[in-house]
Amino acid sequence: TEYHADRVDRTPNGTRFDYSDERGTIKDIELPLPGLFQTKNAAAVIRTLRLLGSAFPNVSDRTIRSALSETKVPGRMETLCEKPRVIFDPAHNRQALESLVDTLTMRFTPEDLVFYVCFMSDKEPDALTELLRAKGVRLIYCTLDDPRAYRPEPGSFERIIPADAASLAGAMLADGGISVITGSFRLYAAAKEAAGLLLDNASSDGR
């Protein structure tokens, strides 16, 4: 029997959709994760729960809707710091990057966004770079000490910096705007540490 997601809409925080199968429809499910693939994943979860309904008799449609609305995936569109705003997402292919930018530009203008990126050499880094340039965001490249990591030619980005916490924090303070760290999950640890340094700096300034 088929199941499917209908009326899928992007929202500032992710997606909204209806789920339907032979048992009926759950309307206006809010999923705080960007990307159509996340909607497909959520629909598969709902389908599984409904097929296993006898094992989960207390899982109502209301429970499903509530649980999905509170879904969080560490590192996926994660706000690491509010002031200044720092967002991390490990988008590393065309579909994921397009979804990330489209979601962010529902809330912010492209001119406000500063992307700190690192790509793996086998992920078509030139094509991903051109995609982001076409979106009108600023681009800073972060070099990882990793044999798989792409190393761009000097001058091919606004700036090239090491992908360590201190360098990231210093760049984000200097650049202003809304910082988006993306391109590889290998940046996550440095991004979290850099956000912590920014929070410490803000606390010191407030004393």
mmCIF file of all heavy atoms in Angstrom, residues 114-153:
data_model
loop_
_atom_site.group_PDB
_atom_site.id
_atom_site.type_symbol
_atom_site.label_atom_id
_atom_site.label_comp_id
_atom_site.label_asym_id
_atom_site.label_seq_id
_atom_site.Cartn_x
_atom_site.Cartn_y
_atom_site.Cartn_z
ATOM 1 N N VAL A 114 27.535 34.996 5.521
ATOM 2 C CA VAL A 114 28.944 34.732 5.244
ATOM 3 C C VAL A 114 29.158 33.228 5.412
ATOM 4 O O VAL A 114 29.010 32.693 6.516
ATOM 5 C CB VAL A 114 29.878 35.499 6.199
ATOM 6 C CG1 VAL A 114 31.338 35.291 5.788
ATOM 7 C CG2 VAL A 114 29.532 36.983 6.231
ATOM 8 N N PHE A 115 29.480 32.544 4.318
ATOM 9 C CA PHE A 115 29.667 31.097 4.335
ATOM 10 C C PHE A 115 31.140 30.763 4.530
ATOM 11 O O PHE A 115 32.003 31.236 3.776
ATOM 12 C CB PHE A 115 29.176 30.483 3.025
ATOM 13 C CG PHE A 115 27.726 30.124 3.028
ATOM 14 C CD1 PHE A 115 26.751 31.099 3.225
ATOM 15 C CD2 PHE A 115 27.312 28.808 2.838
ATOM 16 C CE1 PHE A 115 25.400 30.779 3.227
ATOM 17 C CE2 PHE A 115 25.964 28.476 2.841
ATOM 18 C CZ PHE A 115 25.005 29.463 3.047
ATOM 19 N N TYR A 116 31.419 29.957 5.560
ATOM 20 C CA TYR A 116 32.758 29.421 5.803
ATOM 21 C C TYR A 116 32.703 27.959 5.391
ATOM 22 O O TYR A 116 32.011 27.155 6.031
ATOM 23 C CB TYR A 116 33.133 29.563 7.281
ATOM 24 C CG TYR A 116 33.174 31.002 7.732
ATOM 25 C CD1 TYR A 116 32.009 31.655 8.134
ATOM 26 C CD2 TYR A 116 34.365 31.726 7.708
ATOM 27 C CE1 TYR A 116 32.024 32.979 8.514
ATOM 28 C CE2 TYR A 116 34.392 33.055 8.093
ATOM 29 C CZ TYR A 116 33.221 33.674 8.489
ATOM 30 O OH TYR A 116 33.244 35.000 8.858
ATOM 31 N N VAL A 117 33.379 27.623 4.312
ATOM 32 C CA VAL A 117 33.184 26.305 3.705
ATOM 33 C C VAL A 117 34.485 25.516 3.612
ATOM 34 O O VAL A 117 35.582 26.082 3.562
ATOM 35 C CB VAL A 117 32.576 26.424 2.287
ATOM 36 C CG1 VAL A 117 31.253 27.168 2.324
ATOM 37 C CG2 VAL A 117 33.538 27.112 1.322
ATOM 38 N N CYS A 118 34.308 24.210 3.609
ATOM 39 C CA CYS A 118 35.391 23.287 3.278
ATOM 40 C C CYS A 118 34.743 22.107 2.564
ATOM 41 O O CYS A 118 33.714 21.596 3.008
ATOM 42 C CB CYS A 118 36.123 22.811 4.531
ATOM 43 S SG CYS A 118 37.456 21.647 4.164
ATOM 44 N N PHE A 119 35.326 21.726 1.436
ATOM 45 C CA PHE A 119 34.780 20.609 0.670
ATOM 46 C C PHE A 119 35.821 19.502 0.539
ATOM 47 O O PHE A 119 37.018 19.770 0.511
ATOM 48 C CB PHE A 119 34.375 21.068 -0.733
ATOM 49 C CG PHE A 119 33.362 22.169 -0.750
ATOM 50 C CD1 PHE A 119 33.634 23.367 -1.402
ATOM 51 C CD2 PHE A 119 32.133 22.018 -0.117
ATOM 52 C CE1 PHE A 119 32.698 24.393 -1.419
ATOM 53 C CE2 PHE A 119 31.197 23.036 -0.130
ATOM 54 C CZ PHE A 119 31.477 24.229 -0.788
ATOM 55 N N MET A 120 35.338 18.283 0.431
ATOM 56 C CA MET A 120 36.210 17.172 0.114
ATOM 57 C C MET A 120 36.458 17.153 -1.400
ATOM 58 O O MET A 120 35.578 17.520 -2.191
ATOM 59 C CB MET A 120 35.596 15.849 0.574
ATOM 60 C CG MET A 120 35.417 15.740 2.087
ATOM 61 S SD MET A 120 36.972 15.792 3.034
ATOM 62 C CE MET A 120 36.895 17.467 3.724
ATOM 63 N N SER A 121 37.636 16.718 -1.795
ATOM 64 C CA SER A 121 38.018 16.761 -3.215
ATOM 65 C C SER A 121 37.115 15.922 -4.106
ATOM 66 O O SER A 121 36.967 16.214 -5.300
ATOM 67 C CB SER A 121 39.471 16.297 -3.372
ATOM 68 O OG SER A 121 40.347 17.193 -2.727
ATOM 69 N N ASP A 122 36.484 14.884 -3.545
ATOM 70 C CA ASP A 122 35.634 14.006 -4.354
ATOM 71 C C ASP A 122 34.171 14.453 -4.383
ATOM 72 O O ASP A 122 33.304 13.717 -4.845
ATOM 73 C CB ASP A 122 35.726 12.563 -3.833
ATOM 74 C CG ASP A 122 35.295 12.419 -2.377
ATOM 75 O OD1 ASP A 122 35.106 13.454 -1.698
ATOM 76 O OD2 ASP A 122 35.152 11.275 -1.909
ATOM 77 N N LYS A 123 33.876 15.665 -3.908
ATOM 78 C CA LYS A 123 32.493 16.163 -3.839
ATOM 79 C C LYS A 123 32.232 17.300 -4.825
ATOM 80 O O LYS A 123 31.371 18.131 -4.599
ATOM 81 C CB LYS A 123 32.174 16.632 -2.413
ATOM 82 C CG LYS A 123 32.268 15.559 -1.355
ATOM 83 C CD LYS A 123 31.264 14.443 -1.587
ATOM 84 C CE LYS A 123 31.358 13.384 -0.495
ATOM 85 N NZ LYS A 123 30.429 12.266 -0.732
ATOM 86 N N GLU A 124 32.984 17.346 -5.912
ATOM 87 C CA GLU A 124 32.817 18.385 -6.929
ATOM 88 C C GLU A 124 32.891 19.786 -6.326
ATOM 89 O O GLU A 124 31.962 20.599 -6.432
ATOM 90 C CB GLU A 124 31.484 18.215 -7.668
ATOM 91 C CG GLU A 124 31.362 16.871 -8.387
ATOM 92 C CD GLU A 124 30.072 16.771 -9.196
ATOM 93 O OE1 GLU A 124 29.028 17.274 -8.721
ATOM 94 O OE2 GLU A 124 30.127 16.225 -10.303
ATOM 95 N N PRO A 125 34.020 20.111 -5.681
ATOM 96 C CA PRO A 125 34.125 21.392 -4.975
ATOM 97 C C PRO A 125 33.963 22.610 -5.865
ATOM 98 O O PRO A 125 33.400 23.624 -5.433
ATOM 99 C CB PRO A 125 35.525 21.338 -4.346
ATOM 100 C CG PRO A 125 36.268 20.317 -5.142
ATOM 101 C CD PRO A 125 35.253 19.302 -5.540
ATOM 102 N N ASP A 126 34.445 22.542 -7.110
ATOM 103 C CA ASP A 126 34.304 23.705 -7.998
ATOM 104 C C ASP A 126 32.838 23.987 -8.302
ATOM 105 O O ASP A 126 32.396 25.149 -8.305
ATOM 106 C CB ASP A 126 35.074 23.469 -9.305
ATOM 107 C CG ASP A 126 36.584 23.463 -9.094
ATOM 108 O OD1 ASP A 126 37.043 24.108 -8.125
ATOM 109 O OD2 ASP A 126 37.281 22.821 -9.883
ATOM 110 N N ALA A 127 32.064 22.941 -8.538
ATOM 111 C CA ALA A 127 30.640 23.109 -8.826
ATOM 112 C C ALA A 127 29.899 23.641 -7.596
ATOM 113 O O ALA A 127 29.012 24.501 -7.711
ATOM 114 C CB ALA A 127 30.030 21.784 -9.276
ATOM 115 N N LEU A 128 30.259 23.157 -6.412
ATOM 116 C CA LEU A 128 29.610 23.622 -5.190
ATOM 117 C C LEU A 128 29.955 25.085 -4.920
ATOM 118 O O LEU A 128 29.105 25.871 -4.476
ATOM 119 C CB LEU A 128 30.023 22.744 -4.009
ATOM 120 C CG LEU A 128 29.641 21.268 -4.106
ATOM 121 C CD1 LEU A 128 30.101 20.513 -2.861
ATOM 122 C CD2 LEU A 128 28.133 21.111 -4.290
ATOM 123 N N THR A 129 31.198 25.452 -5.200
ATOM 124 C CA THR A 129 31.616 26.843 -5.024
ATOM 125 C C THR A 129 30.824 27.764 -5.949
ATOM 126 O O THR A 129 30.333 28.823 -5.539
ATOM 127 C CB THR A 129 33.120 26.989 -5.301
ATOM 128 O OG1 THR A 129 33.849 26.169 -4.372
ATOM 129 C CG2 THR A 129 33.566 28.429 -5.143
ATOM 130 N N GLU A 130 30.684 27.364 -7.209
ATOM 131 C CA GLU A 130 29.946 28.181 -8.167
ATOM 132 C C GLU A 130 28.475 28.292 -7.785
ATOM 133 O O GLU A 130 27.853 29.344 -7.979
ATOM 134 C CB GLU A 130 30.096 27.608 -9.578
ATOM 135 C CG GLU A 130 31.474 27.804 -10.170
ATOM 136 C CD GLU A 130 31.928 29.255 -10.099
ATOM 137 O OE1 GLU A 130 31.146 30.154 -10.517
ATOM 138 O OE2 GLU A 130 33.044 29.511 -9.605
ATOM 139 N N LEU A 131 27.911 27.217 -7.254
ATOM 140 C CA LEU A 131 26.522 27.258 -6.798
ATOM 141 C C LEU A 131 26.338 28.344 -5.738
ATOM 142 O O LEU A 131 25.401 29.149 -5.807
ATOM 143 C CB LEU A 131 26.131 25.890 -6.232
ATOM 144 C CG LEU A 131 24.696 25.679 -5.738
ATOM 145 C CD1 LEU A 131 24.353 24.200 -5.789
ATOM 146 C CD2 LEU A 131 24.493 26.175 -4.304
ATOM 147 N N LEU A 132 27.237 28.373 -4.759
ATOM 148 C CA LEU A 132 27.121 29.350 -3.681
ATOM 149 C C LEU A 132 27.382 30.769 -4.181
ATOM 150 O O LEU A 132 26.721 31.717 -3.760
ATOM 151 C CB LEU A 132 28.086 28.990 -2.543
ATOM 152 C CG LEU A 132 27.721 27.729 -1.762
ATOM 153 C CD1 LEU A 132 28.820 27.374 -0.774
ATOM 154 C CD2 LEU A 132 26.391 27.920 -1.020
ATOM 155 N N ARG A 133 28.334 30.906 -5.096
ATOM 156 C CA ARG A 133 28.582 32.241 -5.661
ATOM 157 C C ARG A 133 27.337 32.764 -6.382
ATOM 158 O O ARG A 133 27.000 33.948 -6.303
ATOM 159 C CB ARG A 133 29.770 32.192 -6.627
ATOM 160 C CG ARG A 133 31.119 32.098 -5.944
ATOM 161 C CD ARG A 133 32.235 32.618 -6.838
ATOM 162 N NE ARG A 133 33.489 32.625 -6.097
ATOM 163 C CZ ARG A 133 34.467 31.746 -6.250
ATOM 164 N NH1 ARG A 133 34.335 30.772 -7.142
ATOM 165 N NH2 ARG A 133 35.566 31.820 -5.530
ATOM 166 N N ALA A 134 26.659 31.874 -7.081
ATOM 167 C CA ALA A 134 25.456 32.273 -7.811
ATOM 168 C C ALA A 134 24.333 32.702 -6.868
ATOM 169 O O ALA A 134 23.441 33.460 -7.264
ATOM 170 C CB ALA A 134 24.977 31.119 -8.692
ATOM 171 N N LYS A 135 24.384 32.241 -5.627
ATOM 172 C CA LYS A 135 23.371 32.613 -4.646
ATOM 173 C C LYS A 135 23.639 33.985 -4.034
ATOM 174 O O LYS A 135 22.793 34.541 -3.325
ATOM 175 C CB LYS A 135 23.310 31.565 -3.526
ATOM 176 C CG LYS A 135 22.889 30.178 -3.990
ATOM 177 C CD LYS A 135 21.432 30.100 -4.358
ATOM 178 C CE LYS A 135 20.993 28.674 -4.673
ATOM 179 N NZ LYS A 135 19.555 28.602 -5.009
ATOM 180 N N GLY A 136 24.834 34.539 -4.275
ATOM 181 C CA GLY A 136 25.136 35.890 -3.808
ATOM 182 C C GLY A 136 25.624 35.998 -2.388
ATOM 183 O O GLY A 136 25.612 37.096 -1.808
ATOM 184 N N VAL A 137 26.091 34.890 -1.803
ATOM 185 C CA VAL A 137 26.607 34.937 -0.437
ATOM 186 C C VAL A 137 28.126 35.145 -0.468
ATOM 187 O O VAL A 137 28.785 34.860 -1.464
ATOM 188 C CB VAL A 137 26.276 33.638 0.339
ATOM 189 C CG1 VAL A 137 24.780 33.414 0.375
ATOM 190 C CG2 VAL A 137 26.977 32.421 -0.274
ATOM 191 N N ARG A 138 28.675 35.659 0.633
ATOM 192 C CA ARG A 138 30.128 35.791 0.747
ATOM 193 C C ARG A 138 30.725 34.416 1.046
ATOM 194 O O ARG A 138 30.115 33.600 1.748
ATOM 195 C CB ARG A 138 30.493 36.777 1.845
ATOM 196 C CG ARG A 138 30.094 38.208 1.550
ATOM 197 C CD ARG A 138 30.369 39.102 2.727
ATOM 198 N NE ARG A 138 31.792 39.096 3.078
ATOM 199 C CZ ARG A 138 32.274 39.622 4.215
ATOM 200 N NH1 ARG A 138 31.451 40.161 5.092
ATOM 201 N NH2 ARG A 138 33.568 39.592 4.463
ATOM 202 N N LEU A 139 31.942 34.178 0.539
ATOM 203 C CA LEU A 139 32.558 32.861 0.669
ATOM 204 C C LEU A 139 33.969 32.964 1.231
ATOM 205 O O LEU A 139 34.840 33.600 0.649
ATOM 206 C CB LEU A 139 32.626 32.165 -0.691
ATOM 207 C CG LEU A 139 31.365 31.457 -1.199
ATOM 208 C CD1 LEU A 139 31.615 30.894 -2.584
ATOM 209 C CD2 LEU A 139 30.962 30.342 -0.242
ATOM 210 N N ILE A 140 34.174 32.307 2.371
ATOM 211 C CA ILE A 140 35.491 32.161 2.982
ATOM 212 C C ILE A 140 35.816 30.673 2.991
ATOM 213 O O ILE A 140 34.980 29.862 3.407
ATOM 214 C CB ILE A 140 35.519 32.688 4.439
ATOM 215 C CG1 ILE A 140 34.844 34.063 4.546
ATOM 216 C CG2 ILE A 140 36.931 32.699 4.975
ATOM 217 C CD1 ILE A 140 35.525 35.164 3.793
ATOM 218 N N TYR A 141 37.004 30.303 2.535
ATOM 219 C CA TYR A 141 37.347 28.880 2.510
ATOM 220 C C TYR A 141 38.199 28.527 3.731
ATOM 221 O O TYR A 141 39.116 29.260 4.111
ATOM 222 C CB TYR A 141 38.107 28.491 1.239
ATOM 223 C CG TYR A 141 38.131 26.994 1.051
ATOM 224 C CD1 TYR A 141 37.053 26.350 0.458
ATOM 225 C CD2 TYR A 141 39.183 26.227 1.530
ATOM 226 C CE1 TYR A 141 37.026 24.969 0.334
ATOM 227 C CE2 TYR A 141 39.168 24.848 1.410
ATOM 228 C CZ TYR A 141 38.084 24.223 0.808
ATOM 229 O OH TYR A 141 38.069 22.857 0.707
ATOM 230 N N CYS A 142 37.897 27.369 4.331
ATOM 231 C CA CYS A 142 38.597 26.880 5.514
ATOM 232 C C CYS A 142 39.395 25.633 5.139
ATOM 233 O O CYS A 142 38.816 24.642 4.691
ATOM 234 C CB CYS A 142 37.605 26.539 6.625
ATOM 235 S SG CYS A 142 36.490 27.898 7.051
ATOM 236 N N THR A 143 40.694 25.671 5.329
ATOM 237 C CA THR A 143 41.545 24.548 4.939
ATOM 238 C C THR A 143 41.699 23.567 6.100
ATOM 239 O O THR A 143 42.100 23.934 7.195
ATOM 240 C CB THR A 143 42.934 25.025 4.487
ATOM 241 O OG1 THR A 143 43.525 25.811 5.535
ATOM 242 C CG2 THR A 143 42.825 25.875 3.230
ATOM 243 N N LEU A 144 41.379 22.328 5.823
ATOM 244 C CA LEU A 144 41.511 21.246 6.804
ATOM 245 C C LEU A 144 42.801 20.473 6.570
ATOM 246 O O LEU A 144 43.221 20.283 5.426
ATOM 247 C CB LEU A 144 40.346 20.264 6.674
ATOM 248 C CG LEU A 144 39.046 20.568 7.402
ATOM 249 C CD1 LEU A 144 37.989 19.556 6.990
ATOM 250 C CD2 LEU A 144 39.242 20.540 8.912
ATOM 251 N N ASP A 145 43.390 20.012 7.653
ATOM 252 C CA ASP A 145 44.553 19.138 7.546
ATOM 253 C C ASP A 145 44.050 17.712 7.354
ATOM 254 O O ASP A 145 44.013 16.906 8.279
ATOM 255 C CB ASP A 145 45.413 19.256 8.814
ATOM 256 C CG ASP A 145 46.704 18.449 8.708
ATOM 257 O OD1 ASP A 145 47.070 18.060 7.577
ATOM 258 O OD2 ASP A 145 47.336 18.200 9.755
ATOM 259 N N ASP A 146 43.617 17.438 6.131
ATOM 260 C CA ASP A 146 43.000 16.168 5.799
ATOM 261 C C ASP A 146 43.345 15.868 4.340
ATOM 262 O O ASP A 146 43.107 16.706 3.465
ATOM 263 C CB ASP A 146 41.484 16.258 5.983
ATOM 264 C CG ASP A 146 40.764 14.932 5.776
ATOM 265 O OD1 ASP A 146 41.086 14.233 4.793
ATOM 266 O OD2 ASP A 146 39.859 14.621 6.569
ATOM 267 N N PRO A 147 43.891 14.696 4.050
ATOM 268 C CA PRO A 147 44.287 14.407 2.661
ATOM 269 C C PRO A 147 43.126 14.421 1.675
ATOM 270 O O PRO A 147 43.338 14.600 0.479
ATOM 271 C CB PRO A 147 44.922 13.013 2.757
ATOM 272 C CG PRO A 147 44.431 12.426 4.037
ATOM 273 C CD PRO A 147 44.239 13.585 4.957
ATOM 274 N N ARG A 148 41.903 14.231 2.155
ATOM 275 C CA ARG A 148 40.741 14.251 1.264
ATOM 276 C C ARG A 148 40.248 15.662 0.971
ATOM 277 O O ARG A 148 39.467 15.868 0.052
ATOM 278 C CB ARG A 148 39.587 13.466 1.886
ATOM 279 C CG ARG A 148 39.734 11.945 1.845
ATOM 280 C CD ARG A 148 38.439 11.311 2.315
ATOM 281 N NE ARG A 148 37.298 11.707 1.495
ATOM 282 C CZ ARG A 148 36.065 11.896 1.956
ATOM 283 N NH1 ARG A 148 35.808 11.735 3.240
ATOM 284 N NH2 ARG A 148 35.086 12.239 1.141
ATOM 285 N N ALA A 149 40.684 16.624 1.769
ATOM 286 C CA ALA A 149 40.129 17.965 1.669
ATOM 287 C C ALA A 149 40.640 18.696 0.428
ATOM 288 O O ALA A 149 41.814 18.612 0.073
ATOM 289 C CB ALA A 149 40.466 18.758 2.923
ATOM 290 N N TYR A 150 39.732 19.410 -0.199
ATOM 291 C CA TYR A 150 40.057 20.240 -1.353
ATOM 292 C C TYR A 150 40.867 21.453 -0.913
ATOM 293 O O TYR A 150 40.574 22.067 0.117
ATOM 294 C CB TYR A 150 38.753 20.685 -2.009
ATOM 295 C CG TYR A 150 38.880 21.715 -3.092
ATOM 296 C CD1 TYR A 150 39.500 21.415 -4.308
ATOM 297 C CD2 TYR A 150 38.345 22.996 -2.922
ATOM 298 C CE1 TYR A 150 39.584 22.368 -5.323
ATOM 299 C CE2 TYR A 150 38.424 23.945 -3.930
ATOM 300 C CZ TYR A 150 39.052 23.627 -5.121
ATOM 301 O OH TYR A 150 39.136 24.566 -6.113
ATOM 302 N N ARG A 151 41.878 21.804 -1.709
ATOM 303 C CA ARG A 151 42.691 22.992 -1.427
ATOM 304 C C ARG A 151 42.596 23.927 -2.626
ATOM 305 O O ARG A 151 43.160 23.639 -3.684
ATOM 306 C CB ARG A 151 44.138 22.611 -1.124
ATOM 307 C CG ARG A 151 44.288 21.887 0.205
ATOM 308 C CD ARG A 151 45.740 21.706 0.617
ATOM 309 N NE ARG A 151 45.821 21.143 1.943
ATOM 310 C CZ ARG A 151 45.819 21.848 3.078
ATOM 311 N NH1 ARG A 151 45.741 23.170 2.999
ATOM 312 N NH2 ARG A 151 45.892 21.269 4.251
ATOM 313 N N PRO A 152 41.910 25.046 -2.477
ATOM 314 C CA PRO A 152 41.719 25.956 -3.611
ATOM 315 C C PRO A 152 42.980 26.759 -3.921
ATOM 316 O O PRO A 152 43.877 26.879 -3.087
ATOM 317 C CB PRO A 152 40.601 26.880 -3.122
ATOM 318 C CG PRO A 152 40.769 26.897 -1.634
ATOM 319 C CD PRO A 152 41.226 25.515 -1.257
ATOM 320 N N GLU A 153 43.011 27.296 -5.130
ATOM 321 C CA GLU A 153 44.113 28.162 -5.528
ATOM 322 C C GLU A 153 44.027 29.488 -4.779
ATOM 323 O O GLU A 153 42.932 29.993 -4.520
ATOM 324 C CB GLU A 153 44.044 28.431 -7.036
ATOM 325 C CG GLU A 153 44.291 27.204 -7.901
ATOM 326 C CD GLU A 153 45.711 26.682 -7.765
ATOM 327 O OE1 GLU A 153 46.629 27.518 -7.588
ATOM 328 O OE2 GLU A 153 45.903 25.457 -7.824
#
